Amino acid sequence: MDKKPAIICVAITGSLPRKSDNPAVPLSIAEQVESTHEAFEAGASIVHCHVRDDAGQPTSDPARFGRLMEGIRAHCPGMIVQFSTGGRSGAGQARGAMLPLRPDMASLSVGSVNFPSRTYDNPPDLVAWLAQGMQRHRITPEIEAFDVSHVLNAIAMHEAGQLPGTLYIQIVMGVANAMPADREVFDFMVDLIESRAPDAQWCAAGIGAQQLRLNTWAAERGGHLRTGLEDNVRLDRHTLAPSNAALVLRAVEAVERCGRRVATPHEARALLGLSAAPVS
């Protein structure tokens, strides 16, 4: 039987990496569109989007998100556009200011967690407000699971009808003070999702040096993969990644080593229960 194709998500920019970390990090809208197009051609079918202001600082400015989405849809036909509602780009409800633009997907953290030097604060009232906005605008959430409680919260919210669309959970490992890249814990998280929410889809993201490890584990277990310069700016300890596309190609190789193939944008949309791509 043919194995399930693997969706590759590319997180192109994030809120933290700078040109001083890696000159390939795309900051302007034009740079982000070009980098996304290269990653799309390399095999990515989802783009996870953050935007920066003119000084390179993270922002939730809907106008910038709108221009980015317009450029991606013009140059990457069918690619799934996923906006970040993460806490480094704004506070409170400003984090969801771009949801009325109706991207295909948006990230949603359903619980708080410790980060290296701060608490990533996701209080229940804000989580509910963001989920309601995604419901209202028919946006499928990508649940960012930094802890087992986040998986259980997401399943409960989906069963209660609070999360629209197909349940899609991303296991995040390698953030200091949160979940380490531990294979036993990873397998437990996958088993938990597959037993409690058998119709869900899941993905895995590894931070920094853990990126390739999590790509490989996800490919082996039949899940989907996230890569990109947001999470990791290097190919190895001594080599900067030359582009987002280079990291996507590395993820493609991990998929193929496991005897699977990479999902096309059309297949990714079908797996995630998304509608056909809008015509630009």
Side-chain angles (χ1 to χ4, degrees):
M1 183 179 295
D2 189 27
K3 296 180 180 179
K4 180 174 65 178
I7 299 168
I8 295 180
C9 172
V10 59
I12 55 171
T13 303
S15 296
L16 292 179
R18 298 181 174 276
K19 296 285 190 183
S20 57
D21 300 310
N22 184 330
V25 175
L27 298 184
S28 71
I29 299 300
E31 287 177 334
Q32 290 190 63
V33 171
E34 180 179 5
S35 187
T36 301
H37 181 248
E38 292 172 352
F40 174 72
E41 293 201 323
S45 54
I46 300 177
V47 55
H48 177 74
C49 301
H50 292 249
V51 291
R52 306 287 187 99
D53 63 19
D54 291 339
Q57 297 300 312
T59 176
S60 295
D61 181 6
R64 290 178 184 266
F65 272 106
R67 293 199 300 275
L68 179 57
M69 183 165 66
E70 181 181 9
I72 291 170
R73 287 183 169 166
H75 294 279
C76 308
M79 193 175 202
I80 297 165
V81 177
Q82 181 189 106
F83 286 170
S84 172
T85 66
R88 294 188 186 276
S89 301
Q93 295 185 2
R95 288 168 51 178
M98 77 299 291
L99 295 179
L101 296 172
R102 297 177 182 259
D104 301 293
M105 301 183 74
S107 64
L108 179 65
S109 297
V110 296
S112 300
V113 65
N114 284 343
F115 273 5
S117 59
R118 61 186 283 263
T119 299
Y120 182 22
D121 194 21
N122 293 288
D125 58 345
L126 178 60
V127 172
W129 183 85
L130 288 169
Q132 289 163 8
M134 294 179 197
Q135 186 86 263
R136 184 165 56 254
H137 297 296
R138 299 181 182 179
I139 299 166
T140 295
E142 178 202 73
I143 303 302
E144 297 189 334
F146 298 91
D147 182 81
V148 65
S149 65
H150 300 172
V151 172
L152 296 173
N153 287 350
I155 293 171
M157 291 177 70
H158 192 258
E159 290 176 345
Q162 297 170 323
L163 299 178
T166 299
L167 181 60
Y168 188 54
I169 299 174
Q170 178 170 261
I171 301 165
V172 184
M173 291 186 148
V175 177
N177 297 328
M179 279 197 301
D182 181 296
R183 184 61 193 254
E184 185 176 1
V185 175
F186 172 81
D187 286 333
F188 172 80
M189 296 283 279
V190 173
D191 291 342
L192 181 66
I193 294 168
E194 292 183 345
S195 64
R196 300 288 183 93
D199 295 329
Q201 297 287 333
W202 64 268
C203 175
I207 306 305
Q210 307 305 324
Q211 187 174 79
L212 181 57
R213 179 172 295 170
L214 268 291
N215 285 170
T216 302
W217 292 353
E220 290 173 349
R221 284 296 309 259
H224 307 297
L225 293 69
R226 169 163 144 162
T227 190
L229 291 168
E230 171 177 350
D231 299 338
N232 165 50
V233 297
R234 297 182 174 275
L235 288 177
D236 57 46
R237 183 177 299 179
H238 307 290
T239 312
L240 291 175
S243 63
N244 275 300
L247 295 173
V248 171
L249 288 172
R250 189 173 71 168
V252 169
E253 291 172 357
V255 169
E256 293 176 344
R257 281 197 302 271
C258 294
R260 297 174 66 193
R261 61 182 180 82
V262 174
T264 67
H266 178 77
E267 289 173 325
R269 286 179 177 275
L271 284 166
L272 298 177
L274 300 175
S275 59
V279 178
S280 16

